[in-house]
Amino acid sequence: MRIAELSKLSGVPVPTIKYYLREGLLTAGELSSPNQASYNEIHLRRLRLIRALLEVGGLSVAAIRDVLAAVDEPDLSMWKLLGVVSDSLQKHETIADDEEWRRARATVEALLLSRGWIDHDSFWPPAANTLTMVALRLSQLGYESFVSEALTTYLDAAEKVADLDVDYVLRFPDREDVVDGVVVLTVLGEAALSAARLIAHRHVSATKLGIPAPQAD
Amino acid sequence: MRIAELSKLSGVPVPTIKYYLREGLLTAGELSSPNQASYNEIHLRRLRLIRALLEVGGLSVAAIRDVLAAVDEPDLSMWKLLGVVSDSLQKHETIADDEEWRRARATVEALLLSRGWIDHDSFWPPAANTLTMVALRLSQLGYESFVSEALTTYLDAAEKVADLDVDYVLRFPDREDVVDGVVVLTVLGEAALSAARLIAHRHVSATKLGIPAPQAD
């Protein structure tokens, strides 16, 4: 197909496609005449993935290039590929590294170790710093007991959801589709889980306060 | 105590305290002399709540004033008070209200009805619009099956966490502490749950891909 049709099918404007071509995110089409290139299903699928990384994942063009390079590296295992994608989506928390931070980090580390989510010498995931930051803020605000009492339930809930997410994306036979799934489900799944928790708060407190659920205001 | 000591104990600078006094967020101290006011524990606790609403909840001064008015209204039931606080913390999604939106909304509504989280005539929580937006985006991106297969598990997980959150805050005897708890746990709990899910993704995929967990890169 010509670039105009690729644009129509993908919903991506022609100038944007040309920009992706220049930036090397999209491989050049096959030249059918000296100034006409032909594109195929592979380009269409790649465009879909670029849009997911850009619009859903919020990645920069440089970060997208790195993810696509990992997708296209056949010797890179699925496990490593998932690591690259997941890392690119995670917020890298600024570490305070004072006494207070180290205490919160030790609490989080003990919790993750006890579940077998990390081991002593292993990689410390960026999100574990976010969890440390949360534990630290909770303690500062007087909710230290919430950290010790509640975090386990949070991790249980997160694990159930993560199990489903991973099952869902690993069923795709194609690496590109797995990556697309990881990006979309990581970001939109997070929004879904947060929203569901807020709705559940309402329902649960109605029950506990003896309000005839699901009654309204 | 004098304003200087209130500032020291609360960690809030004197000019900021004066600003809260002018804005009516904090009630005036008792005049001990024509130009000297005296503050007490009630002021200290109120300052703590204002900081939580402002810094953790991200509320505007106007929104804080509304929440504090609800706290101080003794005839307002705990159920209504929780509604005011929760509402002030929620993002109010822009509704598209086209055919696609209505379809996604119907899916979410059916799901929430089946769990007894809402009923037919009742209040539609703001977060249900966020959930609708997520369902819509998932469908547009080709993940309609995720909505039908996975959302139930998300709601289950959210309910377990919400149950714990509500138990935790309702144990406080004081309305002001309940509100403080709702703000802090809503916001920081959300960050904790999201971070836990990302860490769990790593652990779960290692297991499913046969990587000797919890090994690293």
Side-chain angles (χ1 to χ4, degrees), chain A residues 143 145 165 168 180 185 197, chain B residues 143 145 154 168 180 185 197:
Chain A
Y143 295 89
S145 66
D165 296 337
Y168 193 90
D180 189 272
L185 299 189
R197 177 170 169 263
Chain B
Y143 295 89
S145 65
Y154 272 66
Y168 193 90
D180 190 274
L185 298 188
R197 177 170 169 263

Side-chain angles (χ1 to χ4, degrees), chain A residues 48 116 123 141 143 145-146 149-150 154 163-165 167-168 171 180-181 185-186 189 197 201-202 208, chain B residues 48 79 123 141 143 145-146 149-150 154 163-165 167-168 171 180-181 185-186 189 197 201-202 208 216:
Chain A
R48 177 178 182 246
F123 181 75
L141 293 166
Y143 295 89
S145 66
F146 190 79
E149 287 172 32
Y154 272 67
D163 195 79
L164 186 92
D165 296 337
D167 271 344
Y168 193 90
R171 70 165 87 160
D180 189 272
L185 299 189
T186 298
R197 177 170 169 263
H201 278 157
R202 187 182 171 82
K208 292 191 194 283
Chain B
R48 176 178 183 245
W79 166 246
F123 182 75
L141 293 166
Y143 295 89
S145 65
F146 190 78
E149 287 173 34
Y154 272 66
D163 194 78
L164 185 92
D165 296 337
D167 270 345
Y168 193 90
R171 69 166 87 161
D180 190 274
L185 298 188
T186 297
R197 177 170 169 263
H201 278 157
R202 189 183 170 81
K208 292 191 194 281

